[in-house]
Amino acid sequence: MSGAGDPVGFQERLKTFEGRAAASAGVGKDLVNEAMIRHWCEAMGDANPAYAGPDAIAPPTMLQAWTMGGLSGHTDRSGAYEELFALLDGAGYTSVVATDCEQEYLRPLRPGDRITFDAVIEGISERKTTKLGTGHFVTTRMDVRANGEPAGTHRFRILKYAPVGARRGGGAERDADAGKSADAEKGAARAVRPRPVVNRDNAGFWEGVAEHRLLIQRCGGCGTPRFPWLPGCNACGSDAWEAVEASGEGTVFSYVVMHHPPFPAFDPPYAVGLIELAEGVRIVSNVVGVEPEKVRIGMAVRLEFLRVDGELEIPVFRGSEG
Ligand code: ZN
């Protein structure tokens, strides 16, 4: 392991990789084209008029998009890049994380431009210690050309590192998680959990919650129970219904454990279950009272009401282990 520092001469060996090809030279799979520009602008919500019409240019930030291989791929790592990774792996820097990227735009890209590119290993940092662990940053520079002229550069940096947790038998990782959790709690104190949208079709449900009753609907035409609340029956179309109180017994029909992305006011990990009520309808809510990792399909759960803050109370389901 690299805990006591790199072996003598290691940095010099790393430096010999600088300037070597990081990937084989490539050709863009498509010419710069209006359809990809339009899809990009729609996805980004970018309505800049420069990107539409007869004199359209491509958004500069699309630079890398024109070089991407898609699912079938085409930008194979070079032998040098593989060799560098093997060297870093061998020194204990087995993990990798992308850290940042920088782009420089030299000329606008227009529909019809043919893209070519190549990539070199531009720099390898000295040994650095970060919160994730200790390792070396590797910067790759891709030079992009349009019809043979320089069009821009795309630099991206990764950290090849020895994870803190691996070196300390997992204890440090847990500590890091505890820290993250404390941060999330601080965030939760500031952020307010989202409010439900109450409308005339579901107001009766929330009135029930206020009285600690979980109300579902039963069709007045065919007797089919339904949830969530709707004005009409999906089975027979009738708009006649009555509210009935669910017993509160249920089972986990399906679930996810949320780790990422973190949302303000929520403290991951937590379990979100699709609960099948004894009455035959399903409801989405948190499964509480058991470690999220221990939630299982088929687990018996029981309704309870969670007071989230001064204004909000919600039905949740308490699981029971074993
Ligand atoms: Zn019905």
Side-chain angles (χ1 to χ4, degrees), residues 219 221-224 233 235-238:
C219 175
C222 68
T224 303
C233 176
C236 75
S238 169

Side-chain angles (χ1 to χ4, degrees), residues 128-277:
K128 305 266 189 186
T129 295
T130 73
K131 277 186 183 171
L132 287 172
T134 294
H136 294 267
F137 290 93
V138 177
T139 304
T140 299
R141 188 189 73 242
M142 180 185 276
D143 292 303
V144 181
R145 288 173 297 279
N147 304 328
E149 299 169 23
T153 60
H154 171 71
R155 277 189 181 78
F156 65 92
R157 198 165 290 120
I158 58 153
L159 173 65
K160 271 294 271 176
Y161 66 100
V164 172
R167 233 189 337 222
R168 297 184 191 162
E173 205 164 51
R174 276 197 301 277
D175 291 347
D177 278 347
K180 181 187 61 133
S181 193
D183 286 348
E185 268 162 33
K186 272 182 252 153
R190 288 191 300 272
V192 170
R193 188 157 166 153
R195 310 284 102 172
V197 176
V198 181
N199 56 40
R200 65 179 180 179
D201 291 329
N202 68 10
F205 170 76
W206 290 104
E207 286 161 16
V209 170
E211 299 167 355
H212 287 191
R213 300 164 74 215
L214 180 62
L215 300 180
I216 63 175
Q217 289 170 293
R218 182 160 58 208
C219 175
C222 68
T224 303
R226 69 173 183 261
F227 190 89
W229 282 41
L230 291 169
C233 176
N234 283 333
C236 75
S238 169
D239 61 3
W241 55 270
E242 59 176 338
V244 289
E245 184 175 355
S247 68
E249 302 297 335
T251 54
V252 175
F253 182 82
S254 185
Y255 69 97
V256 293
V257 177
M258 280 295 298
H259 293 272
H260 193 82
F263 294 102
F266 292 84
D267 184 19
Y270 53 93
V272 180
L274 178 60
I275 307 302
E276 182 151 289
L277 298 179

